[in-house]
Amino acid sequence: MPVLYSFHKKINFNREWFYFFVSNLPVAAFFIFWDSIFTNLKIWGFNPAYVCGIYFFSLPVEEILFFICIPFSSLFTLHVLKTTLKDFHLREIILNSGTLVLCMILFIAAILFHSKAYTLYAFLTASVTLFIVWLYNKPLLSHFYLMYLIILIPFFIVNGILTGTGIEGEVVWYNDAENLGIRMGTIPFEDIFYGFSLLLMNAALMDIIRVGKGKQKQVTV
């Protein structure tokens, strides 16, 4: 659906495809590398009953496509919200204070729970990514926070099913010895920040490439 609506004359997200795919390539490669290592270490894995059986880098092809399709749909959502809503941003004081507090909490939690691989890398990656984007692109972050809060709704539905809600077994399983063991329904708490980093990296790099091409100028919040 986002692909079709990209051509809507009031949206024109098709004009952003080049920037998306160029930015998505290195981000997807990073997460596929991370995913492959964690799969081989049995920190998480995939139920063969729910995948087609085609694997790359120890990952089912469905998982590879995840790193393209989910960022595309999410950045399409971000583009639509920015295009159609005039006041789609956070107040500066909320943006700055909230970001610094969240960065500190994630960083401290990563250190405290460094023996749990998923917790360590999910929290540390989110903290570092968030802090860098806050330093160099506050306008993007102001929009991104609000977009992410919105897409958490489908996130909980889809990820809930993938982790076993309403189905027999689960599509993706997790080794709880490598995470906090806190589940939101069937979803590991760390998944929120794993997804946050994935989407924020895509959005930030897409802005960098767009600015580099002279298609956009940085603005203040």
Side-chain angles (χ1 to χ4, degrees), residues 78 82 85-100 102 130 134 138-149 196 220-221:
L78 178 61
K82 288 169 60 178
L85 300 179
K86 293 181 179 180
D87 296 320
F88 184 69
H89 60 81
L90 290 174
R91 293 177 60 186
E92 188 171 3
I93 187 171
I94 297 174
L95 173 69
N96 292 332
S97 58
T99 297
L100 291 175
L102 183 56
L130 180 57
W134 176 75
K138 289 185 178 68
L140 168 64
L141 195 56
S142 179
H143 299 306
F144 184 87
Y145 275 131
L146 297 176
M147 181 276 293
Y148 196 67
L149 287 174
F196 184 90
T220 57
V221 178

Side-chain angles (χ1 to χ4, degrees), residues 122-135:
F123 286 5
L124 188 60
T125 301
S127 178
V128 172
T129 302
L130 180 57
F131 186 71
I132 292 173
V133 176
W134 176 75
L135 283 178

Side-chain angles (χ1 to χ4, degrees), residues 4 16 30-31 53 56 58-60 81 83 107 134 137 160 166 171 203 209:
L4 295 178
E16 304 293 309
F30 169 77
F31 277 88
F56 297 97
S58 302
L59 303 175
L81 292 170
T83 301
F107 186 79
W134 176 75
N137 198 343
V171 180
I209 294 170

